[in-house]
């Protein structure tokens, strides 16, 4: 019985066979389901982000990142 109590307590946001937890257990539907934003993890170090930003600004101003002359294509 303890396992069932813990499952009910900690699975409020769960889908059970595709059915929301409350509906599965016969609870009235809530007004709006809570939306928890996904966690954001840094992909680059701060100095790498700065380098990417410099490259992006150069790309926007020049149109390319390589140092070739404009006569080569």
């Amino acid at each position: 019985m303890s396992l069932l109590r813990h499952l009910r307590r900690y699975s409020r946001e769960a889908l059970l066979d595709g059915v929301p937890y409350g509906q599965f257990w016969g609870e009235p539907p809530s007004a709006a389901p809570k939306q928890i934003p996904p966690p954001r993890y840094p992909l680059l170090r701060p100095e790498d982000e700065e380098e990417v930003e410099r490259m992006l600004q150069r790309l926007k101003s020049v149109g390319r990142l390589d140092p070739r002359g404009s006569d080569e294509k």
Side-chain angles (χ1 to χ4, degrees), residues 14-21 24:
L15 293 177
L16 304 172
D17 291 330
V19 179
Y21 168 88
F24 183 86

Side-chain angles (χ1 to χ4, degrees), residues 26-45:
E27 296 176 1
S30 62
K34 296 177 185 174
Q35 292 293 331
I36 300 172
R40 294 183 55 105
Y41 300 104
L43 298 177
L44 301 172
R45 298 177 308 186

Side-chain angles (χ1 to χ4, degrees), residues 6-72:
H6 286 293
L7 285 172
R8 288 180 136 185
R9 181 176 178 194
Y10 294 113
S11 5
R12 292 282 178 193
E13 300 298 321
L15 293 177
L16 304 172
D17 291 330
V19 179
Y21 168 88
Q23 183 180 351
F24 183 86
W25 292 108
E27 296 176 1
S30 62
K34 296 177 185 174
Q35 292 293 331
I36 300 172
R40 294 183 55 105
Y41 300 104
L43 298 177
L44 301 172
R45 298 177 308 186
E47 55 269 14
D48 292 335
E49 286 184 22
E50 292 169 4
E51 177 67 20
V52 169
E53 184 63 32
R54 283 193 297 274
M55 290 171 50
L56 178 62
Q57 294 305 321
R58 181 169 179 198
L59 179 60
K60 286 180 178 179
S61 66
V62 177
R64 64 178 173 277
L65 294 176
D66 59 353
R68 292 188 294 165
S70 62
D71 57 345
E72 294 182 31

